Amino acid sequence: MTKRLPILGTILVLIAVATMVGLGIWQLQRAQWKNDLLATYAAASDMPAISYPAVPSAEDAPYFRKSTVNCLAVTGWRSTSGRNASGQSGWAHIAQCRTAGAEGPGAQVVAGWSSRPDDPDWQGGVVDGIIAPDSQYIIRLVASEPVAGLQKSQPPALEDVPNNHLSYAVQWFLFAAIALIIFLLALRGRNRVK
């Protein structure tokens, strides 16, 4: 005699599997969105320079575009791990600049690289560079040429933008399959017990 399916357990497993499949599909959609975004970033390097955004938006940040900042005065420094143009590890020195006019209230400028975290002796000036992501301020300008006393920082690269949505999608689909297999094995074992 075959035992009946446990209704509550079956419903819970099916809801969990449907949720995992839904998350996998969502990650596939995110992967397509990220690929389109990376194509936009790749095209940005060939576009003309833009004005440095006064109020950057995380949803529409102009990453990888060329720009110029007039750093009227350096109001502070922060050093973070970074690489020079040769790929050597060390410190990227980011100046917090006071700006005026269309550039808005301020800008973050990667002035260059060194092997020590000490603040450089730079008071400001006009800086040409490439707009890159910044974990604290959305964007920053990576100087094309370092300021005196520093080496050139590694320019932003598309390879540094994470694009792991496809692997997340595969994980969610595997979780769904594993949940179904475990459920079916549990049912099989339950039906064998008398």
Side-chain angles (χ1 to χ4, degrees):
M1 178 174 174
T2 304
K3 293 188 178 180
R4 292 176 22 173
L5 277 176
I7 295 173
L8 182 59
T10 302
I11 290 171
L12 290 175
V13 168
L14 291 177
I15 288 172
V17 167
T19 300
M20 289 182 257
V21 168
L23 288 168
I25 292 169
W26 175 67
Q27 286 295 340
L28 287 176
Q29 293 167 343
R30 296 275 297 165
Q32 182 58 49
W33 166 80
K34 184 61 76 79
N35 288 335
D36 293 344
L37 191 63
L38 289 172
T40 301
Y41 291 164
S45 62
D46 295 328
M47 298 175 84
I50 61 169
S51 297
Y52 194 80
V55 182
S57 165
E59 289 79 31
D60 193 27
Y63 298 135
F64 301 96
R65 291 292 300 268
K66 296 177 203 125
S67 189
T68 300
V69 166
N70 184 7
C71 183
L72 297 176
V74 176
T75 60
W77 287 97
R78 64 184 166 111
S79 296
T80 184
S81 62
R83 295 185 180 275
N84 65 9
S86 302
Q88 183 180 356
S89 295
W91 297 93
H93 300 279
I94 304 169
Q96 297 158 358
C97 290
R98 182 171 52 82
T99 59
E103 293 170 356
Q108 306 296 306
V109 175
V110 180
W113 176 95
S114 73
S115 59
R116 300 183 48 83
D118 305 331
D119 295 344
D121 184 26
W122 182 65
Q123 303 304 313
V126 176
V127 181
D128 295 321
I130 299 172
I131 297 174
D134 187 274
S135 60
Q136 294 181 28
Y137 296 93
I138 302 174
I139 64 171
R140 62 184 174 196
L141 187 77
V142 179
S144 297
E145 293 300 324
V147 302
L150 297 178
Q151 294 180 31
K152 184 176 179 176
S153 289
Q154 190 175 59
L158 289 176
E159 295 76 32
D160 296 335
V161 179
N163 187 11
N164 43 13
H165 298 290
L166 183 59
S167 62
Y168 289 155
V170 169
Q171 287 177 356
W172 283 117
F173 293 140
L174 285 174
F175 292 156
I178 290 168
L180 268 179
I181 290 169
I182 290 172
F183 179 68
L184 292 174
L185 289 174
L187 282 180
R188 185 175 164 195
R190 179 178 179 263
N191 287 338
R192 284 185 179 175
V193 176
K194 301 214 176 180

